[in-house]
Amino acid sequence: QVQLVESGGGLVQAGGSLRLSCEFYGTMSSAYTMGWYRQTPGKQREVIGTVTGTGSYYYKDSVKGRFTISRNFLNGSTVLQMTNLSPDDTALYYCHARYTSAPHLFYWGQGTQVTVSS
């Protein structure tokens, strides 16, 4: 069983920065691909970026160069550092853990709101 606890988020002006954290509670964290997703009302949840337990990274094109995922490879916790935010980044952000070799095993954090004002 895995529990993901997020922190951070809030209100920021356009052009500003925010940092989201996700604590991983469970075992075998290195077996999980950690990721960040976001969702706005009426839209599907979309992936922002992921990092495997061996350090392979993926980023959605629209956040490349602005968002950075950092992972603690010992305990699985991750940080999403967001810079140069725009109102289009306003969403509910979720931490995600997927068992890399068994993708049907996954967990979500509770979500944290990010609001970017213009």
Side-chain angles (χ1 to χ4, degrees):
Q1 186 69 19
V2 169
Q3 184 180 11
L4 304 175
V5 178
E6 300 159 12
S7 60
L11 175 64
V12 66
Q13 287 188 329
S17 300
L18 274 178
R19 172 188 169 103
L20 306 182
S21 298
C22 175
E23 296 299 322
F24 180 102
Y25 295 96
T27 59
M28 298 177 60
S29 64
S30 62
Y32 289 84
T33 294
M34 301 300 298
W36 287 93
Y37 288 68
R38 66 187 180 188
Q39 188 171 23
T40 54
K43 293 187 178 181
Q44 286 191 331
R45 197 170 295 187
E46 64 175 6
V47 61
I48 297 168
T50 61
V51 52
T52 68
T54 56
S56 293
Y57 291 83
Y58 163 82
Y59 290 98
K60 176 181 173 65
D61 284 346
S62 64
V63 306
K64 286 180 180 178
R66 301 190 300 123
F67 292 10
T68 302
I69 296 174
S70 301
R71 175 172 179 160
N72 183 318
F73 290 94
L74 293 179
N75 64 20
S77 63
T78 63
V79 168
L80 176 65
Q81 180 67 49
M82 304 182 289
T83 63
N84 194 22
L85 286 161
S86 77
D88 288 341
D89 296 313
T90 295
L92 192 57
Y93 283 69
Y94 295 90
C95 180
H96 181 262
R98 172 175 56 84
Y99 199 82
T100 306
S101 60
H104 63 283
L105 297 177
F106 57 89
Y107 303 88
W108 293 100
Q110 79 278 14
T112 186
Q113 179 67 39
V114 171
T115 303
V116 184
S117 63
S118 57

